Amino acid sequence: HQVLPREIPITGGLAGDGSRFESTLTGLNHLPSSGNIIAIGFYGENFKVSHGSLGGWDSFGLERTVTKSCKNELFEIDGRSALSLYKEYLGKYADELPGSALMFPLSVKMGEDRLTRTILSIDTEKDSMVFAGDIPEGSNIRFMKANFDRLIDASGLAAKDAMTGFDVMQPQLALLISCVGRKLLLGNRIDEEVEVIRDIFGGKTVLSGFYSY
């Protein structure tokens, strides 16, 4: 973002290995290996691109305040151990951490915006949680949980947002990036996420993509 002009959008997803949380491999023109960031640039006078994103998670519980964090690592909420408090909310799903954490992200309020922060790992020795994005001290947060129908509906609404500006033309390619937490939660219903999107884009748009963290 610091190098490119502001009007150039950057979108994508983190590589994942399902619910294992062990290691991921990415590569371009060579054997995939760990520790890579792969970027592909599209350009051209007649090239048109748009994007859309929506979660579909439901917030629950009281709004709380982050009292201790460092970048994307969260230690305390309202002066209490964040990990202990999180386990209380998870109930029976606490024994399935860190995999089950994908089903219960946090909603972080930053200014007028609310961002969804997904948990990547937990550190029992440091009593902390590591997220896919910063959680600043002093920010307000709420716990979130999944709602099956809202998750699927959100995929369709994101596709409609991405279709903005394509009223007179058919998109040739749609790259779908969905969270592996949605896949774990929806189970056999995961195909519905893609079906809703295909209904909006139409049969001529090529669909491709992957499940990310």
Side-chain angles (χ1 to χ4, degrees):
H1 273 301
Q2 291 177 343
V3 174
L4 295 172
R6 292 179 60 87
E7 64 269 18
I8 297 180
I10 300 175
T11 185
L14 296 170
D17 65 346
S19 59
R20 292 184 294 275
F21 289 90
E22 294 174 353
S23 64
T24 58
L25 306 173
T26 52
L28 182 65
N29 299 328
H30 58 77
L31 290 176
S33 58
S34 63
N36 299 316
I37 296 176
I38 307 301
I40 302 174
F42 296 94
Y43 59 92
E45 291 184 4
N46 298 315
F47 178 72
K48 191 175 188 66
V49 63
S50 183
H51 60 89
S53 177
L54 199 64
W57 309 91
D58 286 338
S59 297
F60 69 98
L62 299 173
E63 186 168 83
R64 300 177 179 273
T65 303
V66 175
T67 49
K68 184 180 179 181
S69 66
C70 180
K71 297 181 179 178
N72 65 328
E73 189 169 11
L74 177 62
F75 295 94
E76 291 183 4
I77 300 173
D78 288 343
R80 291 186 56 188
S81 161
L83 183 56
S84 297
L85 184 62
Y86 189 72
K87 286 181 177 179
E88 287 181 19
Y89 271 97
L90 261 62
K92 64 179 182 180
Y93 293 102
D95 295 334
E96 301 173 21
L97 287 169
S100 61
L102 292 168
M103 307 177 195
F104 300 92
L106 289 186
S107 171
V108 183
K109 188 175 183 181
M110 293 187 180
E112 297 298 321
D113 298 324
R114 278 204 171 271
L115 304 178
T116 301
R117 289 288 189 249
T118 303
I119 298 172
L120 295 181
S121 63
I122 61 174
D123 190 326
T124 54
E125 291 185 1
K126 296 167 67 176
D127 208 26
S128 66
M129 300 184 290
V130 178
F131 290 80
D134 290 349
I135 301 184
E137 285 188 7
S139 57
N140 295 323
I141 64 169
R142 290 187 69 187
F143 292 100
M144 305 175 78
K145 61 182 177 180
N147 178 309
F148 281 63
D149 292 330
R150 277 173 54 82
L151 287 174
I152 294 170
D153 290 343
S155 298
L157 292 173
K160 288 181 179 178
D161 286 345
M163 281 290 287
T164 302
F166 283 92
D167 297 335
V168 295
M169 63 178 72
Q170 181 81 20
Q172 292 179 292
L173 171 67
L175 182 62
L176 317 181
I177 302 171
S178 184
C179 175
V180 69
R182 300 166 72 94
K183 185 174 189 288
L184 294 173
L185 189 67
L186 289 171
N188 293 332
R189 293 188 62 184
I190 193 64
D191 289 348
E192 295 181 40
E193 204 177 38
V194 180
E195 291 169 2
V196 167
I197 293 171
R198 183 176 294 282
D199 288 342
I200 293 169
F201 282 127
K204 294 184 178 180
T205 300
V206 176
L207 303 184
S208 184
F210 61 97
Y211 291 100
S212 78
Y213 282 156

